[in-house]
Amino acid sequence: MATERVLSTQSTSTDEPQNWALRPTRLSEYIGQAELLERLRIAIEAAKRRKEPLEHLLLHGPPGLGKTTLAHVLAQEMGTKVVLTSGPALARGTDLVASLTRLQTGDILFIDEVHRLPIAVEEFIYPAMEDFRIDVTLDGGLSARTVQVRCKPFTLVGATTRAGLLSAPLRSRFGIVHHLKYYSHDELLAILRRSAAMLEVPIPDPAALSTIAARSRGTPRIANRLLRRVRDYTTVRADGRLTAAVVDAALKLEGVDPLGLDDLDRGYLRCLGTTYNGGPVGLEALAATMNEDPGTLEDVVEPYVLQIGFLARTRRGRALTRAACEHLGLACTPQAEGLFDEPTV
Ligand SMILES: Nc1ncnc2c1ncn2[C@@H]1O[C@H](COP(=O)(O)OP(=O)(O)O)[C@@H](O)[C@H]1O
Ligand SMILES: [Mg+2]
């Protein structure tokens, strides 16, 4: 995509420097994900008592829900540091060696997009996770020899948006596996309140933050980004007074509707609703009509429209639900209605 979507769950170029300041640094500041936090509190306490590193942890779930943040928080709680890398960055086993040998006892190695770890590297990682050693083959051909490199006991924190793509042997080596859920309205509100205080945004109207939370698609990264956009708008157009009406105007300008849908989402739903009469239609056909990449639609648009019950994924393809037709003001087709009871794929 040429333009950066304000609703993108991916971190955009303007996000990172700003987000650092807003990132929770302790577990007590980390909002939501109650079950996960409870599991981690127990794991941290147990590891500390035994003077061992934390168990290897696999976090999976949609982007922007706080996986990277959590890796930093865990290091902070354990009094250790975190080394960041990602699946695609580790092309060869030796790349992994470089990361591993930088680790001190108890440090956290965070591997983002762990499902994109090349198979060759995955094999190096097994002995590293289990016995804290890596077998490296030096030179090729006749003079090849294997050296064993030891590393300090560490904790691997893997993050992935696609847990299904992870190999079974890798998955089974994580002691704790947890799926991060979308945040509730109240949790997003709490995050926004905290961020607003940190950004020193005065909020006279409590409904203002609620309006932002409702459009954040259950995602803290989006909530914080919308807050920053709204703050800019408020400064320039509304004398710094942040009210629900100002939020409405600011987000309308960004093309974000009351449900948190933007032009791309609406374009997708409209295409399905008009060109394909509500479906069912295959993703490929839909993508071709919209001149979009099917993968983009699947990763960027569909998770949220599925979650709010606007889309049904059936064996025969994608179909609009009645709620979507009503939201878009389209005549709903009986065809789509009949598909609701079909198993989704
Ligand atoms: N539980 C949370 N409490 C408060 N803020 C959060 C929380 N989770 C995420 N955030 C905010 O959302 C942003 C995106 O989180 P991040 O950890 O980068 O997501 P991920 O790695 O899952 O894509 C962070 O910069 C942080 O400010
Ligand atoms: Mg991340």
Side-chain angles (χ1 to χ4, degrees):
M1 266 178 293
T3 51
E4 281 185 348
R5 294 170 79 210
V6 66
L7 290 177
S8 167
T9 48
Q10 304 295 337
S11 139
T12 60
S13 53
T14 51
D15 269 352
E16 280 315 304
Q18 302 251 23
N19 266 352
W20 268 109
L22 298 179
R23 267 196 173 137
T25 54
R26 305 303 301 231
L27 268 191
S28 55
E29 296 169 23
Y30 196 93
I31 294 157
Q33 310 293 347
E35 280 163 41
L36 173 59
L37 295 200
E38 182 59 12
R39 293 178 75 183
L40 291 176
R41 280 200 188 94
I42 293 169
I44 291 170
E45 179 70 33
K48 278 187 174 165
R49 283 198 202 171
R50 286 195 299 260
K51 298 196 169 33
E52 282 174 6
L54 211 56
E55 276 200 72
H56 301 307
L57 167 70
L58 177 66
L59 300 171
H60 57 98
L65 297 194
K67 298 183 288 298
T68 308
T69 304
L70 200 54
H72 287 276
V73 168
L74 289 175
Q76 193 64 242
E77 294 289 339
M78 293 298 291
T80 58
K81 69 174 174 13
V82 48
V83 171
L84 301 174
T85 183
S86 76
L90 296 168
R92 291 167 307 149
T94 45
D95 297 333
L96 183 66
V97 175
S99 296
L100 286 173
T101 48
R102 283 169 61 200
L103 298 171
Q104 297 300 314
T105 302
D107 279 356
I108 288 176
L109 176 66
F110 179 74
I111 306 185
D112 213 353
E113 298 187 73
V114 67
H115 62 275
R116 291 178 62 193
L117 210 58
I119 306 237
V121 179
E122 226 185 271
E123 278 161 16
F124 280 103
I125 231 166
Y126 299 154
M129 287 173 85
E130 284 170 346
D131 308 319
F132 308 114
R133 65 175 168 83
I134 326 150
D135 301 314
V136 194
T137 308
L138 296 176
D139 311 324
L142 287 176
S143 59
R145 60 206 164 92
T146 306
V147 274
Q148 205 173 79
V149 182
R150 295 229 134 249
C151 63
K152 306 259 168 59
F154 69 102
T155 301
L156 179 67
V157 177
T160 176
T161 48
R162 300 271 189 98
L165 297 182
L166 221 62
S167 77
L170 180 57
R171 202 188 156 98
S172 67
R173 282 173 171 82
F174 287 97
I176 306 174
V177 177
H178 200 96
H179 178 73
L180 276 84
K181 295 188 191 69
Y182 282 111
Y183 289 70
S184 71
H185 185 84
D186 287 344
E187 288 163 354
L188 289 169
L189 255 181
I191 291 171
L192 283 165
R193 260 190 229 113
R194 177 176 172 275
S195 301
M198 295 179 83
L199 293 172
E200 299 180 2
V201 186
I203 303 139
D205 182 356
L209 286 188
S210 183
T211 313
I212 301 179
R215 296 168 196 213
S216 303
R217 303 163 79 110
T219 308
R221 176 177 289 140
I222 298 180
N224 282 338
R225 189 185 306 128
L226 292 181
L227 178 67
R228 292 198 311 268
R229 296 289 168 96
V230 166
R231 177 181 65 156
D232 290 351
Y233 182 92
T234 312
T235 311
V236 180
R237 292 270 181 269
D239 320 320
R241 283 198 314 276
L242 186 59
T243 64
V246 169
V247 171
D248 251 339
L251 294 184
K252 199 175 218 164
L253 202 64
E254 300 282 350
V256 180
D257 78 8
L259 285 177
L261 299 176
D262 71 2
D263 292 338
L264 183 64
D265 305 316
R266 285 191 298 268
Y268 172 95
L269 296 171
R270 278 230 169 77
C271 178
L272 185 50
T274 53
T275 314
Y276 294 101
N277 200 27
V281 60
L283 176 64
E284 300 288 327
L286 203 55
T289 311
M290 289 180 69
N291 198 17
E292 275 288 350
D293 168 52
T296 304
L297 295 181
E298 191 166 15
D299 290 348
V300 173
V301 176
E302 291 189 342
Y304 185 64
V305 287
L306 275 168
Q307 201 219 334
I308 60 171
F310 273 19
L311 183 71
R313 279 174 68 161
T314 73
R315 256 177 285 159
R316 281 183 282 153
R318 272 63 170 170
L320 279 194
T321 64
R322 189 211 300 266
C325 296
E326 279 168 6
H327 181 72
L328 294 167
L330 297 169
C332 195
T333 60
Q335 229 177 349
E337 293 281 276
L339 290 165
F340 292 159
D341 300 325
E342 262 192 32
T344 52
V345 288

mmCIF file of all heavy atoms in Angstrom, residues 121-158:
data_model
loop_
_atom_site.group_PDB
_atom_site.id
_atom_site.type_symbol
_atom_site.label_atom_id
_atom_site.label_comp_id
_atom_site.label_asym_id
_atom_site.label_seq_id
_atom_site.Cartn_x
_atom_site.Cartn_y
_atom_site.Cartn_z
ATOM 1 N N VAL A 121 17.905 -22.350 10.591
ATOM 2 C CA VAL A 121 18.155 -21.687 11.867
ATOM 3 C C VAL A 121 17.370 -22.369 12.984
ATOM 4 O O VAL A 121 17.832 -22.482 14.115
ATOM 5 C CB VAL A 121 17.800 -20.189 11.780
ATOM 6 C CG1 VAL A 121 18.037 -19.492 13.111
ATOM 7 C CG2 VAL A 121 18.605 -19.516 10.680
ATOM 8 N N GLU A 122 16.185 -22.844 12.618
ATOM 9 C CA GLU A 122 15.354 -23.527 13.605
ATOM 10 C C GLU A 122 16.109 -24.684 14.240
ATOM 11 O O GLU A 122 16.037 -24.908 15.436
ATOM 12 C CB GLU A 122 14.094 -24.042 12.919
ATOM 13 C CG GLU A 122 12.856 -23.735 13.730
ATOM 14 C CD GLU A 122 11.614 -24.334 13.126
ATOM 15 O OE1 GLU A 122 10.996 -23.652 12.294
ATOM 16 O OE2 GLU A 122 11.268 -25.462 13.477
ATOM 17 N N GLU A 123 16.878 -25.413 13.423
ATOM 18 C CA GLU A 123 17.597 -26.563 13.954
ATOM 19 C C GLU A 123 18.698 -26.164 14.938
ATOM 20 O O GLU A 123 19.010 -26.898 15.863
ATOM 21 C CB GLU A 123 18.166 -27.417 12.813
ATOM 22 C CG GLU A 123 17.073 -28.313 12.281
ATOM 23 C CD GLU A 123 17.338 -28.859 10.905
ATOM 24 O OE1 GLU A 123 18.502 -28.802 10.461
ATOM 25 O OE2 GLU A 123 16.375 -29.327 10.286
ATOM 26 N N PHE A 124 19.248 -24.965 14.726
ATOM 27 C CA PHE A 124 20.253 -24.463 15.670
ATOM 28 C C PHE A 124 19.612 -24.085 16.988
ATOM 29 O O PHE A 124 20.233 -24.115 18.042
ATOM 30 C CB PHE A 124 20.926 -23.206 15.108
ATOM 31 C CG PHE A 124 21.990 -23.511 14.112
ATOM 32 C CD1 PHE A 124 21.760 -23.355 12.751
ATOM 33 C CD2 PHE A 124 23.241 -23.940 14.531
ATOM 34 C CE1 PHE A 124 22.748 -23.625 11.834
ATOM 35 C CE2 PHE A 124 24.235 -24.209 13.611
ATOM 36 C CZ PHE A 124 23.991 -24.063 12.253
ATOM 37 N N ILE A 125 18.366 -23.676 16.882
ATOM 38 C CA ILE A 125 17.727 -23.099 18.055
ATOM 39 C C ILE A 125 17.291 -24.174 19.059
ATOM 40 O O ILE A 125 17.238 -23.913 20.259
ATOM 41 C CB ILE A 125 16.566 -22.180 17.626
ATOM 42 C CG1 ILE A 125 16.703 -20.837 18.298
ATOM 43 C CG2 ILE A 125 15.220 -22.752 17.949
ATOM 44 C CD1 ILE A 125 15.845 -19.776 17.716
ATOM 45 N N TYR A 126 17.025 -25.387 18.564
ATOM 46 C CA TYR A 126 16.581 -26.435 19.505
ATOM 47 C C TYR A 126 17.593 -26.698 20.621
ATOM 48 O O TYR A 126 17.244 -26.610 21.791
ATOM 49 C CB TYR A 126 16.254 -27.738 18.765
ATOM 50 C CG TYR A 126 15.150 -27.634 17.746
ATOM 51 C CD1 TYR A 126 15.086 -28.489 16.662
ATOM 52 C CD2 TYR A 126 14.146 -26.680 17.889
ATOM 53 C CE1 TYR A 126 14.058 -28.392 15.731
ATOM 54 C CE2 TYR A 126 13.129 -26.575 16.961
ATOM 55 C CZ TYR A 126 13.091 -27.437 15.878
ATOM 56 O OH TYR A 126 12.094 -27.348 14.974
ATOM 57 N N PRO A 127 18.864 -27.035 20.276
ATOM 58 C CA PRO A 127 19.823 -27.262 21.372
ATOM 59 C C PRO A 127 20.066 -26.000 22.200
ATOM 60 O O PRO A 127 20.344 -26.085 23.395
ATOM 61 C CB PRO A 127 21.111 -27.706 20.661
ATOM 62 C CG PRO A 127 20.934 -27.371 19.238
ATOM 63 C CD PRO A 127 19.464 -27.307 18.964
ATOM 64 N N ALA A 128 19.929 -24.845 21.561
ATOM 65 C CA ALA A 128 20.110 -23.601 22.319
ATOM 66 C C ALA A 128 19.019 -23.467 23.375
ATOM 67 O O ALA A 128 19.282 -23.113 24.524
ATOM 68 C CB ALA A 128 20.102 -22.391 21.381
ATOM 69 N N MET A 129 17.791 -23.782 22.996
ATOM 70 C CA MET A 129 16.678 -23.663 23.942
ATOM 71 C C MET A 129 16.759 -24.721 25.034
ATOM 72 O O MET A 129 16.414 -24.475 26.183
ATOM 73 C CB MET A 129 15.334 -23.818 23.207
ATOM 74 C CG MET A 129 14.953 -22.623 22.369
ATOM 75 S SD MET A 129 13.462 -22.938 21.375
ATOM 76 C CE MET A 129 12.159 -22.545 22.552
ATOM 77 N N GLU A 130 17.211 -25.918 24.664
ATOM 78 C CA GLU A 130 17.179 -27.017 25.629
ATOM 79 C C GLU A 130 18.416 -27.110 26.495
ATOM 80 O O GLU A 130 18.325 -27.310 27.693
ATOM 81 C CB GLU A 130 16.963 -28.341 24.879
ATOM 82 C CG GLU A 130 15.528 -28.468 24.446
ATOM 83 C CD GLU A 130 15.304 -29.629 23.503
ATOM 84 O OE1 GLU A 130 16.301 -30.177 22.976
ATOM 85 O OE2 GLU A 130 14.134 -29.977 23.285
ATOM 86 N N ASP A 131 19.576 -26.976 25.872
ATOM 87 C CA ASP A 131 20.825 -27.189 26.617
ATOM 88 C C ASP A 131 21.743 -25.980 26.606
ATOM 89 O O ASP A 131 22.881 -26.061 27.045
ATOM 90 C CB ASP A 131 21.596 -28.376 26.021
ATOM 91 C CG ASP A 131 20.725 -29.602 25.910
ATOM 92 O OD1 ASP A 131 19.949 -29.848 26.855
ATOM 93 O OD2 ASP A 131 20.792 -30.290 24.874
ATOM 94 N N PHE A 132 21.269 -24.873 26.054
ATOM 95 C CA PHE A 132 22.075 -23.651 25.974
ATOM 96 C C PHE A 132 23.425 -23.895 25.301
ATOM 97 O O PHE A 132 24.478 -23.514 25.786
ATOM 98 C CB PHE A 132 22.244 -23.015 27.355
ATOM 99 C CG PHE A 132 20.916 -22.822 28.039
ATOM 100 C CD1 PHE A 132 20.584 -23.517 29.199
ATOM 101 C CD2 PHE A 132 19.975 -21.971 27.503
ATOM 102 C CE1 PHE A 132 19.351 -23.370 29.806
ATOM 103 C CE2 PHE A 132 18.732 -21.809 28.105
ATOM 104 C CZ PHE A 132 18.420 -22.513 29.263
ATOM 105 N N ARG A 133 23.364 -24.607 24.194
ATOM 106 C CA ARG A 133 24.561 -24.766 23.372
ATOM 107 C C ARG A 133 24.144 -24.732 21.902
ATOM 108 O O ARG A 133 22.992 -24.991 21.568
ATOM 109 C CB ARG A 133 25.282 -26.082 23.676
ATOM 110 C CG ARG A 133 24.461 -27.286 23.294
ATOM 111 C CD ARG A 133 25.221 -28.590 23.472
ATOM 112 N NE ARG A 133 24.277 -29.687 23.364
ATOM 113 C CZ ARG A 133 23.856 -30.219 22.215
ATOM 114 N NH1 ARG A 133 24.318 -29.779 21.070
ATOM 115 N NH2 ARG A 133 22.977 -31.189 22.201
ATOM 116 N N ILE A 134 25.083 -24.401 21.030
ATOM 117 C CA ILE A 134 24.814 -24.384 19.601
ATOM 118 C C ILE A 134 25.946 -25.141 18.918
ATOM 119 O O ILE A 134 27.116 -24.964 19.259
ATOM 120 C CB ILE A 134 24.825 -22.946 19.031
ATOM 121 C CG1 ILE A 134 24.279 -21.957 20.058
ATOM 122 C CG2 ILE A 134 24.035 -22.852 17.738
ATOM 123 C CD1 ILE A 134 24.890 -20.594 19.908
ATOM 124 N N ASP A 135 25.590 -25.989 17.973
ATOM 125 C CA ASP A 135 26.601 -26.706 17.205
ATOM 126 C C ASP A 135 26.795 -25.998 15.879
ATOM 127 O O ASP A 135 25.897 -25.977 15.055
ATOM 128 C CB ASP A 135 26.169 -28.153 16.978
ATOM 129 C CG ASP A 135 25.938 -28.871 18.299
ATOM 130 O OD1 ASP A 135 26.800 -28.728 19.186
ATOM 131 O OD2 ASP A 135 24.892 -29.528 18.454
ATOM 132 N N VAL A 136 27.979 -25.428 15.699
ATOM 133 C CA VAL A 136 28.232 -24.689 14.469
ATOM 134 C C VAL A 136 29.206 -25.458 13.595
ATOM 135 O O VAL A 136 30.233 -25.930 14.074
ATOM 136 C CB VAL A 136 28.855 -23.302 14.771
ATOM 137 C CG1 VAL A 136 28.799 -22.415 13.534
ATOM 138 C CG2 VAL A 136 28.147 -22.644 15.921
ATOM 139 N N THR A 137 28.870 -25.559 12.329
ATOM 140 C CA THR A 137 29.772 -26.218 11.403
ATOM 141 C C THR A 137 30.638 -25.157 10.735
ATOM 142 O O THR A 137 30.122 -24.210 10.147
ATOM 143 C CB THR A 137 28.984 -26.997 10.340
ATOM 144 O OG1 THR A 137 28.060 -27.831 11.017
ATOM 145 C CG2 THR A 137 29.902 -27.837 9.479
ATOM 146 N N LEU A 138 31.939 -25.318 10.893
ATOM 147 C CA LEU A 138 32.873 -24.367 10.299
ATOM 148 C C LEU A 138 33.420 -24.932 9.002
ATOM 149 O O LEU A 138 33.658 -26.133 8.900
ATOM 150 C CB LEU A 138 34.032 -24.074 11.252
ATOM 151 C CG LEU A 138 33.686 -23.392 12.567
ATOM 152 C CD1 LEU A 138 34.936 -23.257 13.426
ATOM 153 C CD2 LEU A 138 33.056 -22.034 12.334
ATOM 154 N N ASP A 139 33.629 -24.087 8.048
ATOM 155 C CA ASP A 139 34.147 -24.476 6.724
ATOM 156 C C ASP A 139 33.229 -25.519 6.077
ATOM 157 O O ASP A 139 32.462 -26.193 6.726
ATOM 158 C CB ASP A 139 35.579 -25.049 6.797
ATOM 159 C CG ASP A 139 36.483 -24.153 7.601
ATOM 160 O OD1 ASP A 139 36.297 -22.922 7.504
ATOM 161 O OD2 ASP A 139 37.352 -24.670 8.337
ATOM 162 N N GLY A 140 33.391 -25.671 4.781
ATOM 163 C CA GLY A 140 32.582 -26.676 4.110
ATOM 164 C C GLY A 140 33.457 -27.827 3.660
ATOM 165 O O GLY A 140 34.651 -27.870 3.946
ATOM 166 N N GLY A 141 32.884 -28.765 2.966
ATOM 167 C CA GLY A 141 33.603 -29.857 2.319
ATOM 168 C C GLY A 141 34.427 -30.709 3.259
ATOM 169 O O GLY A 141 34.004 -31.015 4.378
ATOM 170 N N LEU A 142 35.635 -31.066 2.834
ATOM 171 C CA LEU A 142 36.463 -32.015 3.575
ATOM 172 C C LEU A 142 36.937 -31.478 4.910
ATOM 173 O O LEU A 142 37.101 -32.223 5.866
ATOM 174 C CB LEU A 142 37.682 -32.408 2.723
ATOM 175 C CG LEU A 142 37.375 -33.335 1.546
ATOM 176 C CD1 LEU A 142 38.641 -33.569 0.723
ATOM 177 C CD2 LEU A 142 36.817 -34.666 2.061
ATOM 178 N N SER A 143 37.190 -30.180 4.967
ATOM 179 C CA SER A 143 37.736 -29.619 6.194
ATOM 180 C C SER A 143 36.650 -29.215 7.196
ATOM 181 O O SER A 143 36.933 -28.579 8.194
ATOM 182 C CB SER A 143 38.606 -28.404 5.855
ATOM 183 O OG SER A 143 37.820 -27.455 5.183
ATOM 184 N N ALA A 144 35.400 -29.594 6.916
ATOM 185 C CA ALA A 144 34.310 -29.201 7.797
ATOM 186 C C ALA A 144 34.491 -29.771 9.198
ATOM 187 O O ALA A 144 34.859 -30.917 9.364
ATOM 188 C CB ALA A 144 32.977 -29.667 7.206
ATOM 189 N N ARG A 145 34.263 -28.959 10.194
ATOM 190 C CA ARG A 145 34.283 -29.489 11.563
ATOM 191 C C ARG A 145 33.221 -28.750 12.360
ATOM 192 O O ARG A 145 32.855 -27.630 12.031
ATOM 193 C CB ARG A 145 35.667 -29.328 12.200
ATOM 194 C CG ARG A 145 36.127 -27.918 12.295
ATOM 195 C CD ARG A 145 37.650 -27.825 12.321
ATOM 196 N NE ARG A 145 38.039 -26.451 12.035
ATOM 197 C CZ ARG A 145 38.239 -25.536 12.986
ATOM 198 N NH1 ARG A 145 38.122 -25.845 14.241
ATOM 199 N NH2 ARG A 145 38.574 -24.302 12.660
ATOM 200 N N THR A 146 32.769 -29.425 13.404
ATOM 201 C CA THR A 146 31.706 -28.844 14.214
ATOM 202 C C THR A 146 32.281 -28.367 15.539
ATOM 203 O O THR A 146 33.015 -29.105 16.187
ATOM 204 C CB THR A 146 30.611 -29.900 14.489
ATOM 205 O OG1 THR A 146 30.203 -30.418 13.239
ATOM 206 C CG2 THR A 146 29.430 -29.296 15.186
ATOM 207 N N VAL A 147 31.963 -27.139 15.878
ATOM 208 C CA VAL A 147 32.356 -26.675 17.204
ATOM 209 C C VAL A 147 31.101 -26.410 18.016
ATOM 210 O O VAL A 147 30.086 -25.994 17.476
ATOM 211 C CB VAL A 147 33.189 -25.364 17.168
ATOM 212 C CG1 VAL A 147 34.650 -25.649 16.974
ATOM 213 C CG2 VAL A 147 32.664 -24.405 16.166
ATOM 214 N N GLN A 148 31.240 -26.668 19.298
ATOM 215 C CA GLN A 148 30.107 -26.429 20.158
ATOM 216 C C GLN A 148 30.293 -25.092 20.861
ATOM 217 O O GLN A 148 31.305 -24.878 21.518
ATOM 218 C CB GLN A 148 30.023 -27.558 21.173
ATOM 219 C CG GLN A 148 28.631 -27.749 21.703
ATOM 220 C CD GLN A 148 28.566 -28.969 22.576
ATOM 221 O OE1 GLN A 148 28.968 -28.922 23.744
ATOM 222 N NE2 GLN A 148 28.096 -30.063 22.025
ATOM 223 N N VAL A 149 29.339 -24.205 20.672
ATOM 224 C CA VAL A 149 29.403 -22.906 21.331
ATOM 225 C C VAL A 149 28.406 -22.931 22.478
ATOM 226 O O VAL A 149 27.262 -23.323 22.299
ATOM 227 C CB VAL A 149 29.034 -21.772 20.342
ATOM 228 C CG1 VAL A 149 29.146 -20.408 21.015
ATOM 229 C CG2 VAL A 149 29.907 -21.835 19.100
ATOM 230 N N ARG A 150 28.878 -22.533 23.644
ATOM 231 C CA ARG A 150 27.971 -22.506 24.801
ATOM 232 C C ARG A 150 27.413 -21.098 24.947
ATOM 233 O O ARG A 150 28.084 -20.112 24.670
ATOM 234 C CB ARG A 150 28.720 -22.868 26.082
ATOM 235 C CG ARG A 150 29.243 -24.269 26.096
ATOM 236 C CD ARG A 150 28.870 -24.987 27.409
ATOM 237 N NE ARG A 150 28.350 -26.300 27.181
ATOM 238 C CZ ARG A 150 27.085 -26.675 27.389
ATOM 239 N NH1 ARG A 150 26.201 -25.801 27.844
ATOM 240 N NH2 ARG A 150 26.677 -27.901 27.166
ATOM 241 N N CYS A 151 26.173 -21.008 25.386
ATOM 242 C CA CYS A 151 25.655 -19.681 25.731
ATOM 243 C C CYS A 151 25.073 -19.735 27.135
ATOM 244 O O CYS A 151 24.894 -20.811 27.697
ATOM 245 C CB CYS A 151 24.634 -19.210 24.701
ATOM 246 S SG CYS A 151 23.177 -20.242 24.610
ATOM 247 N N LYS A 152 24.829 -18.565 27.698
ATOM 248 C CA LYS A 152 24.311 -18.508 29.070
ATOM 249 C C LYS A 152 22.833 -18.898 29.066
ATOM 250 O O LYS A 152 22.143 -18.694 28.068
ATOM 251 C CB LYS A 152 24.456 -17.073 29.602
ATOM 252 C CG LYS A 152 25.865 -16.519 29.511
ATOM 253 C CD LYS A 152 26.554 -16.588 30.859
ATOM 254 C CE LYS A 152 28.046 -16.323 30.768
ATOM 255 N NZ LYS A 152 28.405 -15.024 30.199
ATOM 256 N N PRO A 153 22.351 -19.447 30.177
ATOM 257 C CA PRO A 153 20.917 -19.773 30.247
ATOM 258 C C PRO A 153 20.085 -18.508 30.022
ATOM 259 O O PRO A 153 20.257 -17.515 30.728
ATOM 260 C CB PRO A 153 20.736 -20.288 31.677
ATOM 261 C CG PRO A 153 22.085 -20.723 32.102
ATOM 262 C CD PRO A 153 23.064 -19.825 31.397
ATOM 263 N N PHE A 154 19.227 -18.561 29.024
ATOM 264 C CA PHE A 154 18.459 -17.368 28.638
ATOM 265 C C PHE A 154 16.997 -17.753 28.469
ATOM 266 O O PHE A 154 16.633 -18.926 28.570
ATOM 267 C CB PHE A 154 19.004 -16.803 27.321
ATOM 268 C CG PHE A 154 18.731 -17.702 26.141
ATOM 269 C CD1 PHE A 154 17.692 -17.417 25.254
ATOM 270 C CD2 PHE A 154 19.487 -18.843 25.928
ATOM 271 C CE1 PHE A 154 17.419 -18.261 24.175
ATOM 272 C CE2 PHE A 154 19.214 -19.690 24.858
ATOM 273 C CZ PHE A 154 18.190 -19.404 23.986
ATOM 274 N N THR A 155 16.177 -16.759 28.208
ATOM 275 C CA THR A 155 14.762 -17.005 27.938
ATOM 276 C C THR A 155 14.456 -16.569 26.524
ATOM 277 O O THR A 155 14.750 -15.432 26.153
ATOM 278 C CB THR A 155 13.871 -16.199 28.909
ATOM 279 O OG1 THR A 155 14.185 -16.585 30.239
ATOM 280 C CG2 THR A 155 12.402 -16.447 28.638
ATOM 281 N N LEU A 156 13.886 -17.467 25.747
ATOM 282 C CA LEU A 156 13.466 -17.089 24.404
ATOM 283 C C LEU A 156 12.006 -16.641 24.460
ATOM 284 O O LEU A 156 11.149 -17.366 24.962
ATOM 285 C CB LEU A 156 13.600 -18.272 23.448
ATOM 286 C CG LEU A 156 13.174 -18.006 22.010
ATOM 287 C CD1 LEU A 156 14.118 -17.021 21.338
ATOM 288 C CD2 LEU A 156 13.137 -19.293 21.199
ATOM 289 N N VAL A 157 11.758 -15.425 23.998
ATOM 290 C CA VAL A 157 10.370 -14.987 23.851
ATOM 291 C C VAL A 157 10.109 -14.868 22.360
ATOM 292 O O VAL A 157 10.738 -14.069 21.671
ATOM 293 C CB VAL A 157 10.101 -13.635 24.564
ATOM 294 C CG1 VAL A 157 8.664 -13.180 24.321
ATOM 295 C CG2 VAL A 157 10.352 -13.759 26.063
ATOM 296 N N GLY A 158 9.231 -15.711 21.857
ATOM 297 C CA GLY A 158 8.893 -15.679 20.433
ATOM 298 C C GLY A 158 7.563 -14.988 20.258
ATOM 299 O O GLY A 158 6.664 -15.146 21.075
#
